Amino acid sequence: MKKITILLGCFFCLQYGFSQQASYVDPAAAYLRLLLEKGQEATVQQIGAFKVRGTSYLFGEKLSGNAYQGAEMALNVPVSYNTYNQQVEIYQDNQVKPIVLTPAELDSFKLLSSDKTSFTEDLFFVSSKKVDSNAKKFFLQEISAGKRFSLYKAYKSELAFASDNYIQADLREFTLVYDYYYNDVTKPGLKKLKVNATNMKKEFKDVADISIFANSDEFVINPEKALKKIFAQLNL
């Protein structure tokens, strides 16, 4: 009986470990967490009454990118996306200080992938004003663009208590959160998604049967990948 108990205990530990490994971690959030765990916190900054460590820049500062505003564009220039204040910093002509633009001032921008970046595909962001003029102004990463439905992800940095700090009451660290939104051209406007199987099936029950995707293991392991398949189905 004792041996059986031990074996069952090991089994559940393994199952728990597997489920932990299988849980989806957003690449940008993983980048920030790794940065903090490695102790790369030299850029502590003062925000209000708090000293904040880590970074609010998505995948770090001065990434190669493009920026677009109307007919004007800046190509292959250093671009930094600050997810805390929703501002994009663009460096042109070897400028020391960047041009700082808000979602009200910039149509879109792209972060270009390379063998030096922590992301493997180009990331394209559009101002919410281009999708919904009545929405709060922020940037949206375009995840899937279709003839009727488009899927977006919105990043935002927040200030969180530092888990390893028990002394400094004013110490905080950046944490990265995100939400998914979609747009339906037949019903213009951004709508936030509740990313769970029940809500997804309910949200689109009048458009298509997405049960096979919403109920899949992939929806738990990698929800964004599953969402892409769902929106591909919706756009058929």
Side-chain angles (χ1 to χ4, degrees), residues 74-97:
L75 304 178
N76 293 305
V77 295
V79 175
S80 303
Y81 172 30
N82 190 327
T83 57
Y84 183 72
N85 57 23
Q86 291 298 308
Q87 293 179 345
V88 175
E89 301 169 8
I90 302 168
Y91 294 81
Q92 288 185 288
D93 304 321
N94 297 316
Q95 291 174 318
V96 176
K97 292 186 177 180

Side-chain angles (χ1 to χ4, degrees), residues 25-37 41 43 45 47 50-59 81-86 154-163 171-179:
V25 179
D26 178 78
Y31 171 89
L32 175 58
R33 179 49 48 192
L34 185 62
L35 194 73
L36 289 166
E37 288 177 355
E41 305 152 5
T43 56
Q45 58 182 290
I47 297 180
F50 303 113
K51 295 177 181 177
V52 188
R53 65 188 186 186
T55 182
S56 59
Y57 291 100
L58 193 74
F59 290 111
Y81 172 30
N82 190 327
T83 57
Y84 183 72
N85 57 23
Q86 291 298 308
Y155 284 104
K156 181 182 179 182
S157 282
E158 297 179 345
L159 307 187
F161 288 99
S163 58
L171 182 64
R172 298 291 187 273
E173 63 185 25
F174 285 112
T175 183
L176 190 63
V177 298
Y178 57 88
D179 291 301

Side-chain angles (χ1 to χ4, degrees), residues 22-29 59 119-125 141-144 151-155 178-181 193 195-196 200 213 216-232:
S23 298
Y24 177 73
V25 179
D26 178 78
F59 290 111
F119 50 95
T120 57
E121 297 180 350
D122 296 348
L123 307 178
F124 180 68
F125 294 82
Q141 182 189 351
E142 187 179 86
I143 303 298
S144 174
L151 174 67
Y152 303 95
K153 178 194 283 187
Y155 284 104
Y178 57 88
D179 291 301
Y180 289 100
Y181 292 82
L193 274 175
V195 185
N196 60 66
M200 292 295 294
F213 305 110
S216 69
D217 292 339
E218 186 175 62
F219 195 80
V220 177
I221 297 170
N222 192 332
E224 189 164 304
K225 190 174 181 180
L227 283 173
K228 288 180 181 180
K229 292 180 179 179
I230 287 171
F231 275 76

